[in-house]
């Protein structure tokens, strides 16, 4: 019996224009496109999105672009982990068909002065939490994601629930554009519960142990929910108490109704609840969240 080994090479494109052409060709051939936008420094969380995009579509593409528009802190942008060589190996092994990159100029070819890019407001789901501590961040996300959606066109796009507020903002954008459809995928964690993040490599061993307090704080809020607690302020205090350690600076540990987003915590008893935490450990900012009522 003859064994046929199929080796498919991942296509690597250096500009959004080339990517747009490739995606359009694929659609004309009747392929369905799954798309995973990333900023690189890939880990198993990113790869879980690629696996799902691969399984649910006939072709899968990934973007790697560290979007300067979403970094309100220049140092954070400069120190953001970068490892394109390893990313490409991981993506090819995961069955990605095409990866594209680009620079700001290529994403906004019509703008001669890049400091004058028209920033799109994140919209109602951009209010509160991230907005308070990273003003402009979600506006920058919406601005680049709009370009990415235009580049890839009609497709299914995969986002991680880890960036919960971001999933709400990009879902609004997709609805307004009439395409693509958004798939939100569960957060991948280390055995300790720490959510995988590209920034985790920047944590010292001690800081990592501190960061591992974040998930137990979310679980404590869920325990309180399961015991009947429905007041946002009390659930928030449960999390803050768990995070009361030297070396962890909590930016927020709050609860929102995921179906009725509000900038401030809801004042009436909750019917649904998403607990969300942002904390700084050393120089690293980490976010995580957990649905309490499911
Ligand atoms: P980033 O490269 O950080 O912009 O992330 C690209 C995508 O991967 C986003 O949709 C993230 O929400 C998602 N992502 C990041 N970390 C995780 C994780 N631990 N589990 C699942 N998805 C993730």
């Amino acid at each position: 019996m003859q064994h046929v080994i199929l080796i498919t090479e991942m296509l690597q494109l250096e500009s959004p224009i080339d990517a747009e052409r490739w995606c359009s060709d694929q659609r004309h051939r009747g392929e369905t496109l799954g798309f995973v936008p990333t900023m690189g420094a890939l880990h198993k969380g990113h790869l879980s999105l690629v696996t799902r995009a691969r399984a649910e579509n006939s072709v899968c593409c990934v973007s790697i672009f560290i979007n300067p528009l979403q970094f309100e802190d220049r140092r954070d942008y400069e120190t953001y982990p970068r490892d394109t060589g390893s990313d490409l190996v991981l993506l090819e092994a995961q069955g990605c068909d095409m990866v594209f990159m680009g620079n700001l100029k290529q994403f906004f070819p019509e703008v001669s002065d890049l400091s004058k890019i028209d920033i799109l407001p994140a919209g109602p789901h951009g209010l509160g939490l991230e907005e308070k501590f990273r003003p402009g961040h979600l506006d920058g996300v919406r601005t680049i994601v709009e370009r990415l959606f235009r580049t890839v066109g009609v497709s299914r796009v995969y986002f991680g629930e880890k960036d919960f507020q971001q999933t709400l903002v990009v879902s609004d954008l997709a609805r307004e554009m009439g395409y693509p459809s958004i798939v939100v995928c569960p957060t991948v964690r280390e055995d300790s519960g720490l959510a995988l993040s590209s920034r985790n490599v920047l944590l010292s061993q001690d800081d990592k142990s501190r960061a591992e307090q974040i998930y137990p704080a979310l679980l404590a809020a869920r325990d309180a929910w399961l015991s009947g607690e429905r007041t946002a302020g009390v659930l928030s205090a449960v999390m803050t108490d768990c995070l009361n350690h030297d070396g962890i600076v909590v930016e927020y540990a709050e609860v929102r109704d995921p179906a009725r987003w509000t900038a401030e915590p809801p004042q009436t008893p909750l019917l649904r609840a998403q607990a969300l935490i942002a904390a700084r450990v050393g120089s690293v900012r980490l976010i995580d969240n957990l649905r309490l009522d499911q």
Side-chain angles (χ1 to χ4, degrees):
M1 187 178 152
Q2 201 182 359
H3 290 275
V4 180
I5 300 173
L6 254 184
I7 299 175
T8 52
E9 261 187 35
M10 179 175 71
L11 186 64
Q12 186 185 328
L13 299 175
E14 300 299 332
S15 83
I17 280 206
D18 292 339
E20 189 175 345
R21 205 168 298 130
W22 184 87
C23 291
S24 164
D25 282 353
Q26 298 299 318
R27 252 190 313 278
H28 281 121
R29 280 192 219 159
E31 307 287 2
T32 60
L33 269 153
F35 171 44
V36 182
T38 82
M39 297 203 298
L42 301 181
H43 50 66
K44 286 183 184 155
H46 297 113
L47 298 181
S48 72
L49 308 190
V50 179
T51 304
R52 180 121 175 231
R54 188 90 229 47
E56 296 180 353
N57 303 279
S58 58
V59 291
C60 157
C61 67
V62 173
S63 62
I64 299 178
F65 178 57
I66 306 182
N67 168 32
L69 304 177
Q70 70 189 69
F71 285 82
E72 73 298 351
D73 174 350
R74 190 164 174 76
R75 198 176 143 62
D76 187 26
Y77 174 69
E78 282 163 2
T79 57
Y80 195 84
R82 292 159 165 86
D83 194 348
T84 310
S86 152
D87 291 346
L88 296 176
V89 172
L90 291 170
L91 288 176
E92 179 143 32
Q94 214 66 30
C96 170
D97 297 289
M98 186 273 276
V99 58
F100 70 98
M101 301 174 207
N103 57 41
L104 207 52
K105 178 78 204 145
Q106 290 169 320
F107 278 108
F108 297 89
E110 77 284 11
V111 181
S112 51
D113 177 352
L114 291 178
S115 67
K116 301 222 163 65
I117 288 172
D118 208 2
I119 301 293
L120 305 177
H125 284 119
L127 300 176
L129 299 188
E130 287 297 290
E131 180 215 13
K132 205 160 157 193
F133 292 91
R134 296 191 72 185
H137 163 66
L138 287 169
D139 302 334
V141 168
R142 182 172 167 134
T143 305
I144 194 65
V145 170
E146 195 259 356
R147 291 287 155 138
L148 291 167
F149 285 176
R150 280 209 240 165
T151 301
V152 174
V154 176
S155 52
R156 276 196 204 99
V157 188
Y158 296 78
F159 286 92
E161 189 175 33
K162 178 178 163 298
D163 297 272
F164 185 77
Q165 201 175 348
Q166 170 174 285
T167 64
L168 300 179
V169 169
V170 298
S171 297
D172 290 342
L173 172 66
R175 207 171 306 115
E176 282 167 37
M177 291 174 74
Y179 69 91
S181 73
I182 303 290
V183 182
V184 177
C185 304
T187 301
V188 178
R189 302 177 179 283
E190 291 191 356
D191 290 344
S192 66
L194 178 65
L196 297 188
S197 161
S198 300
R199 289 188 172 90
N200 288 358
V201 297
L202 303 172
L203 293 167
S204 68
Q205 205 47 49
D206 283 351
D207 283 343
K208 197 163 176 211
S209 315
R210 294 183 180 109
E212 286 168 356
Q213 305 301 314
I214 294 174
Y215 188 54
L218 292 168
L219 292 178
R222 189 157 70 184
D223 285 346
W225 176 275
L226 293 174
S227 308
E229 185 54 63
R230 296 291 182 268
T231 307
V234 175
L235 293 164
S236 174
V238 166
M239 292 190 279
T240 313
D241 282 351
C242 294
L243 293 168
N244 189 11
H245 295 285
D246 284 349
I248 304 185
V249 179
V250 179
E251 289 190 343
Y252 59 76
E254 294 191 13
V255 174
R256 294 288 182 276
D257 179 337
R260 303 187 64 184
W261 188 260
T262 45
E264 300 299 326
Q267 296 301 313
T268 49
L270 291 154
L271 299 174
R272 297 159 294 261
Q274 194 87 25
L276 303 107
I277 293 177
R280 286 189 184 270
V281 181
S283 63
V284 183
R285 182 177 191 273
L286 299 166
I287 59 172
D288 200 354
N289 68 87
L290 190 68
R291 185 80 187 242
L292 304 185
D293 58 299
Q294 289 179 351

